[in-house]
Amino acid sequence: MFSITQRAWNVLIFTGIAAAVFGIIALIWPAQTALTLVLIWGWYAFIDGVIELVAAFRPEGRATRGLLVVTGIVGVLAGLVAIFRPLESAVALAWVLGIWLLARGVSSAISAFSEASVTPRWTLVLGAVCFVVAGLIFIMNPGAAALTLSMWLGALALVWGVSILVAGFALHRMSGKEKAAV
């Protein structure tokens, strides 16, 4: 019979290994990772859209039928585009992120110079500059931006995986000491 700490360190170690492996794969093959993530999202959007359409025609969906039909159709179409045109979808996502980053930067700049600003202005201006620069980079080169996102995701997963792995081994060591004390 396993104690709670034995189960916990096992889960941490397996989770850490899985995250680290994913991170390494994403770093070695960033283009394939980006396309895979787009495909996963495409299938999710497609399935979600189908579920919305089914819900629209159920008796309890009558009040929101119009909204459910619209979101269902958009989900199905977006999913199909991502599934059958993943490269273009990854580039489109980078464009959308770039536009969002620009808008966020402008919003931060406006906030920095508003009368109601409670945050130090220099932090808002610095944030605005970073958002605008990142937005321009994404818009000027969306393909590289999509690859960079994959690589950052891979690096994050690798660091997270190693830290979880270290925590798992530390907990394993602690549970061994608890057993010896009993």
Side-chain angles (χ1 to χ4, degrees):
M1 182 131 161
F2 286 114
S3 71
I4 291 174
T5 54
Q6 285 174 318
R7 278 189 234 140
W9 70 259
N10 286 335
V11 169
L12 287 174
I13 289 174
F14 289 127
T15 302
I17 290 169
V21 167
F22 170 76
I24 291 167
I25 290 169
L27 287 168
I28 293 172
W29 296 295
Q32 292 84 346
T33 301
L35 292 177
T36 301
L37 292 172
V38 168
L39 288 170
I40 290 169
W41 178 83
W43 279 105
Y44 165 77
F46 177 78
I47 292 167
D48 184 65
V50 169
I51 291 170
E52 292 282 304
L53 288 170
V54 169
F57 295 100
R58 296 190 60 155
E60 58 272 6
R62 190 176 312 154
T64 57
R65 180 167 290 145
L67 181 60
L68 289 171
V69 167
V70 170
T71 57
I73 290 171
V74 169
V76 166
L77 292 176
L80 289 173
V81 169
I83 292 165
F84 292 107
R85 309 280 300 201
L87 183 61
E88 292 86 351
S89 297
V91 170
L93 178 60
W95 265 89
V96 169
L97 286 173
I99 292 167
W100 174 79
L101 287 165
L102 280 175
R104 184 69 176 92
V106 169
S107 171
S108 289
I110 291 169
S111 294
F113 297 104
S114 73
E115 294 294 323
S117 178
V118 293
T119 306
R121 293 185 199 289
W122 72 269
T123 60
L124 292 172
V125 169
L126 179 63
V129 169
C130 290
F131 279 123
V132 167
V133 168
L136 290 173
I137 290 169
F138 272 60
I139 289 171
M140 287 183 203
N141 198 344
L147 289 179
T148 302
L149 283 175
S150 284
M151 293 184 76
W152 274 106
L153 179 63
L156 178 65
L158 181 59
V159 169
W160 177 251
V162 169
S163 63
I164 293 295
L165 204 54
V166 168
F169 283 120
L171 188 58
H172 177 60
R173 227 180 358 266
M174 286 174 41
S175 72
K177 289 178 184 177
E178 286 177 4
K179 274 185 184 176
V182 175

